[in-house]
């Protein structure tokens, strides 16, 4: 087990009297720091995440940012953290990247964020990139967006599939405040992509959409072109590493330029 934490947290941990992971429970009682960031070589694992969650129960209202990258907290640790953060009124950023989360972990977060928990109103940025939540986990999270004030959602590299397109459309076409959406490195394909045409035409929030390496072809690009005809907000779409011809890329570029020049509704 690791014996120390990153230098960025050293001041907080010294103040709290914490030098080892098993002493994390002390952190909640004595630290008033608003940001928590952990990355390798330190690793929490599920047990460490549970200890951290227990300590956060007393300082959750103070935290504005939590960044746990490659900490292997897994679903059990994610569930503990979600329960601990439910009543946070200040958290604006949550990054749980590369933590081996599956649909179960995403479900715990979705349950926390979709109810009347205060954190659903404060959280603005959520990143779960490089996990394995799959389409079902993403669907649960997307359904909770209408009850939130989220502006950035990153689900890059999560084994999402094409059956998610109707849910993506429902999210973007409903009450949605998301301005930046990252779905890159997921094999979404184009089957069902036509669902987003009406959704994007109604959406006035989304400005940046990363669809790089998503298996999108000419048909998918045509769906985007149709959607952009009446969209007034989307100004950036990343379609790198997709099977789209140069002529279509130029047409999309011109359509995005037209969108930027179009006055808001």
């Amino acid at each position: 087990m690791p014996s120390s934490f990153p230098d960025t947290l050293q001041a907080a941990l010294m103040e709290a009297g914490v030098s080892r992971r098993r002493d994390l429970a002390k952190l909640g009682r004595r630290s008033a720091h608003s940001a928590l960031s952990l990355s390798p070589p330190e690793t929490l694992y599920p047990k460490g995440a549970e200890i951290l969650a227990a300590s956060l129960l007393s300082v959750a209202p103070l935290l504005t940012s939590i960044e746990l990258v490659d900490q292997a907290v897994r679903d059990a640790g994610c569930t503990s953290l979600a329960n601990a953060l439910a009543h946070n009124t200040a958290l604006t950023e949550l990054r749980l990247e590369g933590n081996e989360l599956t649909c179960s972990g995403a479900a715990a977060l979705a349950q926390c964020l979709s109810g009347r928990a205060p954190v659903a109103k404060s959280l603005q940025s959520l990143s779960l990139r490089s996990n394995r939540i799959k389409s079902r986990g993403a669907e649960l999270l997307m359904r909770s967006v209408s009850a939130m004030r989220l502006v950035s959602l990153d689900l890059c590299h999560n084994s999402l599939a094409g059956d998610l397109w109707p849910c993506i459309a429902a999210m973007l076409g409903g009450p949605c405040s998301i301005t930046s959406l990252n779905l890159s490195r997921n094999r979404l394909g184009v089957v069902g992509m036509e669902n987003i045409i009406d959704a994007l035409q109604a959406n006035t929030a989304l400005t940046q959409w990363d669809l790089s390496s998503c298996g999108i072809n000419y048909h998918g690009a045509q769906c985007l072109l149709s959607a952009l005809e009446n969209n007034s907000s989307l100004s950036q779409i990343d379609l790198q590493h997709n099977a789209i011809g140069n002529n279509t890329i130029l047409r999309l570029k011109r359509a995005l330029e037209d969108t930027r020049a179009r006055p808001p509704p």
Side-chain angles (χ1 to χ4, degrees):
M1 290 296 176
S3 60
S4 63
F5 287 93
D7 292 339
T8 54
L9 284 179
Q10 198 61 46
L13 295 170
M14 289 178 64
E15 176 187 341
V18 179
S19 59
R20 289 181 296 275
R21 181 165 59 85
R22 65 172 178 265
D23 295 324
L24 261 173
K26 300 176 183 178
L27 179 60
R29 295 193 296 269
R30 300 180 58 184
S31 176
H33 287 257
S34 61
L36 178 66
S37 176
L38 293 175
S39 59
E42 290 71 31
T43 306
L44 284 175
Y45 300 107
K47 182 60 177 178
E50 292 170 11
I51 296 172
L52 174 60
S55 72
L56 290 179
L57 287 172
S58 59
V59 295
L62 304 175
L63 284 172
T64 60
S65 175
I66 294 179
E67 178 182 343
L68 303 179
V69 177
D70 296 330
Q71 292 298 297
V73 302
R74 305 191 181 105
D75 293 334
C78 182
T79 299
S80 298
L81 289 168
N83 292 334
L85 294 171
H87 297 288
N88 181 293
T89 58
L91 190 69
T92 60
E93 179 184 29
L94 179 60
R95 295 178 58 190
L96 299 176
E97 302 170 1
N99 278 288
E100 304 174 27
L101 305 182
T102 69
C103 177
S104 296
L109 285 172
Q111 182 176 5
C112 167
L113 297 171
S114 62
R116 297 182 179 180
V119 70
K121 301 300 182 184
S122 67
L123 191 65
Q124 297 179 17
S125 177
L126 175 63
S127 178
L128 298 180
R129 64 186 299 142
S130 300
N131 286 291
R132 300 191 301 271
I133 68 171
K134 297 189 175 180
S135 293
R136 179 54 179 165
E139 180 180 353
L140 293 171
L141 285 169
M142 289 180 178
R143 286 180 177 178
S144 68
V145 164
S146 61
M148 302 172 62
R149 296 174 182 172
L150 201 67
V151 297
S152 177
L153 178 61
D154 187 343
L155 298 180
C156 167
H157 198 202
N158 262 287
S159 301
L160 310 183
D163 56 353
L164 190 62
W165 280 119
C167 185
I168 296 170
M171 177 185 71
L172 294 176
C176 180
S177 56
I178 291 178
T179 62
S180 177
L181 179 61
N182 189 344
L183 299 177
S184 63
R185 299 179 66 191
N186 291 294
R187 300 304 294 176
L188 293 173
V190 296
V191 177
M193 196 172 174
E194 63 274 4
N195 287 279
I196 68 166
I197 296 176
D198 291 340
L200 277 182
Q201 289 179 345
N203 185 284
T204 58
L206 189 66
T207 61
Q208 300 177 335
W209 196 359
D210 192 340
L211 289 170
S212 58
S213 301
C214 282
I216 295 173
N217 58 18
Y218 175 81
H219 172 72
Q222 292 301 310
C223 292
L224 289 171
L225 282 168
S226 297
L228 287 171
E229 289 179 1
N230 294 298
N231 180 277
S232 61
S233 63
L234 190 57
S235 59
Q236 296 181 38
I237 303 178
D238 190 340
L239 288 169
Q240 295 183 83
H241 309 297
N242 286 296
I244 299 173
N246 291 334
N247 289 337
T248 305
I249 290 175
L250 288 174
R251 290 177 62 195
L252 280 165
K253 183 178 178 180
R254 287 194 293 267
L256 289 169
E257 290 173 349
D258 291 342
T259 299
R260 287 193 288 268
R262 191 175 296 140

